Amino acid sequence: KSLLSLDEHERYRMLETVRQYASEKLIESGQAEWARDQHLNYILEYVEKAEPHVTSPNQLVWLERLDADLDNIRAAMQWAEERDPEAFMRVASALWRFWFVRAGYLYEGIDWLTKALQLTEGNRTIHRARALQRRSVLSDDSGELGTAESYARQAYALSKDLDDRLGMVWALQSLSFAKLDSDPRESMALARQSATYAPQVDNPWVEVDAAFHMALAAMQLKDLESARSLLEKCIAAYRLGGDPRGLCMQRMQLARV
């Protein structure tokens, strides 16, 4: 009888007793650290490859893959927490859309990313700037708008220092969302500012996302005609892009106008 079994996701699994025995033998061999480093490297490459697919036409397939691999991903982050904080931050950050989209994982994602940012405080890298912006997005979704604003401002400052225009755009859009209720006029100005960088970055979604944030601000300012026009442009772009959740969000906002 095989010591391995095949689960519903076509992944091989060991019986727990076999797994424990194999783990003990790996430690005895003196190669446990090497094996866990290799596992971390694999997981980092895997989640960064998966990130753009979570907003693609294959969104559901990739969300299910990440869900099925979550125990592996958690194990890699636990190892990286002590072994390689930068890799820890990159894994937690690359999963931001998964934490945001997949029901039930938002607060787990907040915990991982908060811890990773604490461990990498002082690092001045593009990866950290992106992680700060993504932590802002998760704060927005959890209703912590003050925290979201703080992380977005940090992300913008670091991105500006690093001359990372795409990072500046995302930080401005996160800041726009955080200011939506408290100061819709500033929210609109921030969204418009993000749109000015569209010609300078190689990302077709910058202009679309800027339009979405301008539409939200326009709704708050009771400029429903502008909001409707902006949302209709966003819907057309999301329909072409094949992001089902993004398209649903745009349509939900249009229904409010």
Side-chain angles (χ1 to χ4, degrees):
K1 185 177 180 180
S2 175
L3 298 177
L4 302 176
S5 61
L6 196 63
D7 67 15
E8 67 273 18
H9 301 287
E10 297 187 353
R11 286 167 170 77
Y12 286 101
R13 294 188 179 276
M14 295 180 180
L15 294 172
E16 181 60 21
T17 52
V18 175
R19 190 197 65 79
Q20 289 178 356
Y21 177 77
S23 179
E24 291 169 3
K25 288 299 181 183
L26 182 62
I27 292 170
E28 289 176 10
S29 74
Q31 294 185 313
E33 289 190 357
W34 175 86
R36 296 195 74 175
D37 284 342
Q38 296 305 306
H39 180 250
L40 171 59
N41 291 337
Y42 168 78
I43 289 296
L44 176 56
E45 182 179 351
Y46 169 51
V47 297
E48 289 188 336
K49 175 185 176 182
E51 182 185 348
H53 292 288
V54 179
T55 53
S56 75
N58 294 321
Q59 179 182 84
L60 295 179
V61 172
W62 280 91
L63 286 172
E64 289 176 2
R65 287 179 183 175
L66 291 169
D67 213 339
D69 279 325
L70 196 52
D71 285 342
N72 269 322
I73 294 168
R74 288 172 177 143
M77 286 194 291
Q78 288 168 351
W79 175 249
E81 189 174 344
E82 297 182 4
R83 186 78 166 181
D84 189 342
E86 180 79 8
F88 174 30
M89 180 184 67
R90 287 174 62 183
V91 173
S93 177
L95 288 166
W96 75 276
R97 285 190 175 98
F98 173 82
W99 307 128
F100 180 70
V101 172
R102 202 67 164 176
Y105 291 124
L106 175 63
Y107 290 99
E108 179 179 352
I110 286 174
D111 288 344
W112 285 118
L113 200 44
T114 300
K115 191 179 296 185
L117 286 167
Q118 289 171 346
L119 289 172
T120 55
E121 189 170 358
N123 290 15
R124 300 191 63 76
T125 64
I126 286 177
H127 290 302
R128 179 172 171 81
R130 301 286 169 83
L132 286 164
Q133 183 268 332
R134 291 159 180 180
R135 179 62 179 83
S136 174
V137 172
L138 298 184
S139 295
D140 276 326
D141 203 45
S142 67
E144 303 170 286
L145 299 185
T147 302
E149 180 179 347
S150 174
Y151 278 116
R153 290 193 184 281
Q154 292 177 64
Y156 179 76
L158 182 52
S159 296
K160 187 175 181 180
D161 286 349
L162 297 170
D163 196 28
D164 174 21
R165 298 301 174 89
L166 183 56
M168 291 166 65
V169 166
W170 284 339
L172 285 168
Q173 291 175 358
S174 291
L175 191 54
S176 173
F177 195 88
K179 300 295 291 183
L180 191 59
D181 291 332
S182 62
D183 193 339
R185 293 189 183 280
E186 184 180 0
S187 176
M188 176 66 82
L190 290 162
R192 285 175 172 162
Q193 185 182 351
S194 78
T196 64
Y197 291 107
Q200 304 173 38
V201 298
D202 184 22
N203 189 309
W205 289 104
V206 165
E207 192 172 351
V208 178
D209 289 341
F212 177 62
H213 286 84
M214 285 189 281
L216 295 178
M219 289 169 68
Q220 290 293 95
L221 294 167
K222 310 302 182 185
D223 183 359
L224 300 186
E225 184 176 345
S226 294
R228 184 180 297 106
S229 175
L230 288 162
L231 286 169
E232 286 172 349
K233 291 179 182 178
C234 292
I235 287 171
Y238 271 92
R239 187 179 289 116
L240 286 173
D243 176 0
R245 187 180 187 278
L247 181 58
C248 180
M249 287 177 61
Q250 307 293 326
R251 285 173 169 168
M252 286 174 61
Q253 295 300 329
L254 184 59
R256 294 177 55 207
V257 176

